[in-house]
Amino acid sequence: MSELLLNPSREVIKLNKQVLSFNVNVNSKIQKSECAIKVKNLTFNYLALRVKTTRKEEYAVNPNYCMILPDGEVTIHFIMTLKTNHFSPQKAKFKFEAIVIDNIDKDKDPKFLFDFCINSQKKIVGNCIKRG
């Protein structure tokens, strides 16, 4: 496998939003809302992208792993489902992590590439945003 790189000294992705906004009907017992964010690859390399959340039970992320073409863009969809009125939106965070991929690895599964980095004890950093 070729060397997987994440260069924290330069920005590799750009998000079209810094806060995720969901419309919530406070009078409903089950609250469901959707929103999306575009992620732009700022490099001329392939990027493996992973999106994590601190509140998996309330937020579905699709896709949570994907490959972004050089200078390409992907749309990440978020679905919020709340079944309680005791939810604190300030606690919901989303982390976008990207790994710069060599062309030799561009057809590999992004989840495999992240697992490889974790198992190799390579540091992965990313951008965090909050629910607004």
Side-chain angles (χ1 to χ4, degrees), residues 15-77:
L15 308 176
N16 73 332
K17 300 176 186 177
Q18 292 304 312
V19 175
L20 291 178
S21 297
F22 295 89
N23 296 323
V24 177
N25 179 357
V26 294
N27 296 323
S28 175
K29 285 187 178 183
I30 296 179
Q31 301 172 11
K32 188 171 185 175
S33 182
E34 297 182 29
C35 75
I37 191 168
K38 291 186 187 236
V39 182
K40 171 85 173 151
N41 180 350
L42 299 178
T43 75
F44 296 108
N45 299 93
Y46 286 83
L47 290 181
L49 180 74
R50 173 170 71 174
V51 184
K52 300 182 344 182
T53 179
T54 57
R55 307 289 293 222
K56 291 181 200 174
E57 58 281 347
E58 281 121 10
Y59 294 94
V61 179
N62 186 24
N64 57 341
Y65 288 92
C66 65
M67 194 70 75
I68 308 176
L69 298 173
D71 197 39
E73 186 175 85
V74 66
T75 301
I76 306 295
H77 298 272

Side-chain angles (χ1 to χ4, degrees), residues 73-102:
E73 186 175 85
V74 66
T75 301
I76 306 295
H77 298 272
F78 298 85
I79 301 172
M80 177 190 71
T81 306
L82 303 177
K83 298 176 184 172
T84 177
N85 293 333
H86 303 292
F87 175 71
S88 176
Q90 293 80 8
K91 292 183 179 179
K93 294 179 186 171
F94 304 90
K95 187 171 187 181
F96 293 76
E97 299 175 327
I99 303 170
V100 177
I101 303 298
D102 288 335

